[in-house]
Amino acid sequence: MQYERRRNRSNDLAIALGLQLHYSVNRARFKSLVLSEELGLLVAAAGEPNELEELAALAPILAGERRYWQGVIETPSGRERVTVARVDTSFGTFYLSGVAGMASAILSELLQSGQGIARIVS
């Protein structure tokens, strides 16, 4: 699986970020995964289209200055467990928000995906 991911790359920033998020959605079985910037604007996403913008806007608020935040929030799809990880890069801070997901893989996948995002935007 990793070999295939490494072959499926793009030099286009938006496509590369989308591929990274889709890979993480599949590995950790997230319902949605959203990358937003410090003001809560959507940068890239994978998953349920009806909740992506809202998750992007909420991520900086939920995480605040913490490295991780996890809790249950009301989404357009109902009450969902959401995990937010702060991703610090040379271009600023981003927030990676995952909805649902396989409990044993959530934090490690967000960390790994965050490292990939930091490489992509650098």
Side-chain angles (χ1 to χ4, degrees), residues 3-84:
Y3 178 74
E4 184 61 32
R5 177 186 62 84
R6 292 191 179 274
R7 288 186 54 200
N8 193 13
R9 291 183 174 202
S10 175
N11 290 326
D12 180 281
L13 181 63
I15 293 171
L17 289 171
L19 289 170
Q20 176 68 45
L21 295 184
H22 281 286
Y23 175 74
S24 292
V25 163
N26 290 335
R27 278 183 44 118
R29 298 185 186 138
F30 288 113
K31 183 176 174 184
S32 298
L33 190 58
V34 174
L35 180 66
S36 58
E37 49 88 56
E38 291 177 284
L39 297 176
L41 299 175
L42 182 68
V43 175
E48 296 288 324
N50 64 335
E51 60 190 22
L52 302 178
E53 294 280 341
E54 184 177 339
L55 285 170
L58 286 173
I61 297 165
L62 295 173
E65 294 297 316
R66 293 180 295 260
R67 189 85 181 131
Y68 298 103
W69 178 90
Q70 187 173 65
V72 176
I73 66 168
E74 192 68 40
T75 72
S77 303
R79 292 179 60 78
E80 297 278 3
R81 182 184 67 237
V82 173
T83 307
V84 181

Side-chain angles (χ1 to χ4, degrees), residues 1 12 22 26 38 47 59 63 69 86-87 90 94 98 103 105 112 114:
M1 186 173 203
D12 180 281
H22 281 286
N26 290 335
E38 291 177 284
W69 178 90
R86 194 176 77 227
V87 179
S90 57
F94 294 89
Q112 185 175 4

